[in-house]
Amino acid sequence: MSYIPSSPLIYIFLSLTCQTVPGRDAQGFIVPQDPVLPAGRSLLVNCSTSCPHPELITLETSLPKEVIDEDQGWAAFRLSNVTGDSKIICSAFCNGSQMTSSSNITVYRFPELVELDLLPRWQPVGENLTLQCHVWGGAPRAQLTLVLLRGEEELSRQPAVGEPAEGTATVLAGRGDYGAKFTCRAELDLRPRGLGLFQNTSAPRQLRTFVLPMAAPRLVAPLSLEVGTSWPVDCTLDGLFPVSEAQVQLALGDQMLNPAVSIHGDTLRATATVIARADQEGQCPALAFLGPILNLSETNVTEGSKVNVSCTAGPRVQVMLDGDLARAPGEPAQLQVTATEGDDGRYFFCNAILEVDGEILHRNVTAQLRVLYGPKIDPAKCPQRLAWKDRTSHILQCEARGNPVPQLQCLHEGSRREVPIGTPFLVKLHHNGTYHCQAVSPRGTYTLLVVMHVQDRNSFVVTILIGVLVILGVVTAIVALMCIFGKQTRSGFYHVNQQDTSLPLRPVQPKEAVELEQS
Ligand SMILES: *[C@@H]1O[C@H](CO)[C@@H](O)[C@H](O)[C@H]1NC(C)=O
Ligand SMILES: *[C@@H]1O[C@H](CO)[C@@H](O)[C@H](O)[C@H]1NC(C)=O
Ligand SMILES: *[C@@H]1O[C@H](CO)[C@@H](O)[C@H](O)[C@H]1NC(C)=O
Ligand SMILES: *[C@@H]1O[C@H](CO)[C@@H](O)[C@H](O)[C@H]1NC(C)=O
Ligand SMILES: *[C@@H]1O[C@H](CO)[C@@H](O)[C@H](O)[C@H]1NC(C)=O
Ligand SMILES: *[C@@H]1O[C@H](CO)[C@@H](O)[C@H](O)[C@H]1NC(C)=O
Ligand SMILES: *[C@@H]1O[C@H](CO)[C@@H](O)[C@H](O)[C@H]1NC(C)=O
Ligand SMILES: *[C@@H]1O[C@H](CO)[C@@H](O)[C@H](O)[C@H]1NC(C)=O
Ligand SMILES: *[C@@H]1O[C@H](CO)[C@@H](O)[C@H](O)[C@H]1NC(C)=O
Ligand SMILES: *[C@@H]1O[C@H](CO)[C@@H](O)[C@H](O)[C@H]1NC(C)=O
Ligand SMILES: *[C@@H]1O[C@H](CO)[C@@H](O)[C@H](O)[C@H]1NC(C)=O
């Protein structure tokens, strides 16, 4: 409130009130009170007082501020670049005593990234699956909640804690989850502060679940075939889920058959006609198998973390993981690796082998591991001592490695000037010096020093040039003097020819040399 005395009467009245209770009744106000605003905005703050003659109205804040306007009893300030929560205080002096009023600024920002961690490539039905969600950024954290969803169904709801905030949910995988889409949602609820409910949702991840059959396939075929006659064989497999993903191979002895496959519920039926040969008497055709399923506990890891790799296929199927056989057919093959940078991009290879009466059926799958490492510069790939001549073309060789791929630049120690890497450039004298070659990735910075010594070619050339010009001058002078001397002896009298003598004595070498040195 401002009191601008407009008449002597009011002025007297005010003086009287102030005299009776000097400055005590006066109040300070701050507008806005406890504002909520998006990060990075500017804010107008009005400090006012009911004191009739306030002195020194100020705004105490750690934020950059400027006075916008002021008048009797108030002052308005603009706070710029409000990026975090803070407390601001208006202060004024009323008849010698200070009064203050404060306001808390709350800054809100949306999460930068909401991400649901990768799901297993295949999830067995009847086993628990843990979903994990990570949220980077987002403020105020007290108003931020992580929600995990299957389709539209809420699986869990947790407050955001830590950076990144992590939310988890456990679901018992069922057949119904085959193809289910999971998402993670960050909810910033500013409704209690007079604003809305803001939601940011992760990209969905789809799950595939499976069930392996408990029993071996049932085969309907004649026990013994009459050689040369054709017979139908019929192979059925129950309890395989999802049947649509199954691979069917049918063999009779070493003879691969091309079966017709039909699906009824969870039952898969493969039928084919065989013509029995003499050597196949008593042999049985079979079989279908699912997979193999190659599973990495994590596909995207940091250097040094342990990764479990497992490979499974159906009953009776022998799996081989990276060349190592599982203990027995039907058992999974497992291995654990400690991720090194050399494992970045490594493929794991699982080979499922089913032996049916001497016939071997193969099916292979691979899975790739990504390892985050670096940045690094291999000193062998980045020569650290270079000696080059001025005004010659060269290439600065340097390579950095890492995942993610680092940015590499070489900066001159003094001028911070960048020198091109891997492309030819004209070496100049100013390139002489020490360079900081820096590989930068989100995982850090690695620096290697490179000393480039540039030899001055100019001084050498100039010396020779001056030498040549001096010799030329001396020779010309001698020749000129000889001419004059010859003329003198012939004519018998001495005549100075200004032009003749001055011309050869006018070599311009100092000027030329200076020009060359400057260039
Ligand atoms: C600041 O507040 C005072 C008292 O409420 C008012 O008179 C004045 O106009 C305000 N100034 C601005 C710039 O809003
Ligand atoms: C200020 O306060 C002093 C006593 O603390 C009092 O004597 C004086 O009259 C007051 N002045 C005004 C303008 O209120
Ligand atoms: C705003 O503040 C941040 C850090 O508080 C700073 O990095 C940025 O340069 C500032 N921006 C402006 C426009 O002042
Ligand atoms: C401002 O925040 C502090 C805690 O940070 C709290 O104690 C105080 O009561 C708040 N003030 C107002 C005016 O909300
Ligand atoms: C799945 O987890 C729940 C608790 O979250 C537990 O009660 C249940 O036994 C687990 N089921 C399996 C098959 O591990
Ligand atoms: C988060 O949601 C808000 C609105 O709810 C939107 O303005 C913002 O762009 C979203 N942020 C991201 C990273 O998607
Ligand atoms: C794959 O690995 C994850 C994590 O170790 C595990 O939860 C999941 O059950 C595994 N899936 C299969 C098919 O082995
Ligand atoms: C692995 O992590 C990197 C960096 O964190 C990310 O860019 C990449 O998308 C991730 N890949 C997968 C498959 O999650
Ligand atoms: C890997 O397997 C071992 C035991 O086989 C287990 O203790 C460990 O927790 C597993 N690690 C991961 C990342 O799944
Ligand atoms: C699977 O891998 C094995 C071993 O490397 C190979 O002999 C076989 O031909 C492969 N089978 C298929 C279908 O790729
Ligand atoms: C080139 O730089 C080195 C130091 O890096 C310095 O000793 C040398 O004098 C410089 N040479 C010239 C011609 O500037």
Side-chain angles (χ1 to χ4, degrees), residues 1-2 31 44 46-48 68-69 73-76:
M1 272 221 251
S2 78
V31 172
L44 232 64
N46 190 347
C47 292
S48 58
I68 295 292
D69 201 0
W74 63 268

Side-chain angles (χ1 to χ4, degrees), residues 401-515:
R401 54 207 163 84
N403 179 16
V405 176
Q407 291 278 325
L408 178 65
Q409 59 174 9
C410 293
L411 299 177
H412 190 268
E413 194 170 49
S415 64
R416 311 290 301 158
R417 207 193 335 242
E418 194 176 345
V419 72
I421 302 165
T423 54
F425 72 105
L426 189 62
V427 176
K428 295 263 184 75
L429 269 183
H430 70 247
H431 285 118
N432 181 60
T434 305
Y435 286 82
H436 291 248
C437 288
Q438 258 184 352
V440 181
S441 83
R443 298 188 51 78
T445 304
Y446 185 97
T447 308
L448 187 81
L449 293 186
V450 171
V451 176
M452 195 189 292
H453 186 76
V454 183
Q455 286 157 320
D456 191 351
R457 209 167 55 149
N458 248 0
S459 57
F460 182 63
V461 172
V462 167
T463 316
I464 292 179
L465 215 84
I466 290 173
V468 167
L469 287 175
V470 165
I471 291 167
L472 220 85
V474 169
V475 168
T476 324
I478 290 169
V479 169
L481 284 174
M482 276 166 69
C483 277
I484 295 162
F485 182 72
K487 241 184 196 173
Q488 208 181 26
T489 46
R490 270 197 309 271
S491 60
F493 65 94
Y494 189 79
H495 173 76
V496 179
N497 188 329
Q498 293 262 338
Q499 277 172 348
D500 270 16
T501 49
S502 62
L503 219 111
L505 285 170
R506 227 181 53 200
V508 287
Q509 70 264 48
K511 206 175 158 207
E512 257 180 37
V514 165
E515 270 172 8

Side-chain angles (χ1 to χ4, degrees), residues 28 35 38 195 209 218 225 232-233 272 342 369-370 385 428 455 461 474 505:
L195 292 161
T209 57
R218 286 191 316 274
L225 301 174
V233 287
L369 179 66
R370 302 302 312 203
R385 304 217 139 258
K428 295 263 184 75
Q455 286 157 320
V461 172
V474 169
L505 285 170

Side-chain angles (χ1 to χ4, degrees), residues 33-34 86-87 102-105 193:
Q33 191 55 239
D34 300 339
S86 67
K87 185 175 184 172
S102 71
S103 174
N104 288 339
I105 300 178
R193 309 297 303 265

Side-chain angles (χ1 to χ4, degrees), residues 50 62 119 247 258 328 360 365 410:
S50 59
S62 55
L119 301 177
Q247 291 284 314
N258 194 11
I360 291 179
V365 288
C410 293

Side-chain angles (χ1 to χ4, degrees), residues 216-220 234-238 267-270:
R218 286 191 316 274
L219 185 71
V220 182
D234 183 327
C235 174
T236 55
L237 191 57
D238 290 323
T267 304
L268 186 144
R269 185 166 170 206

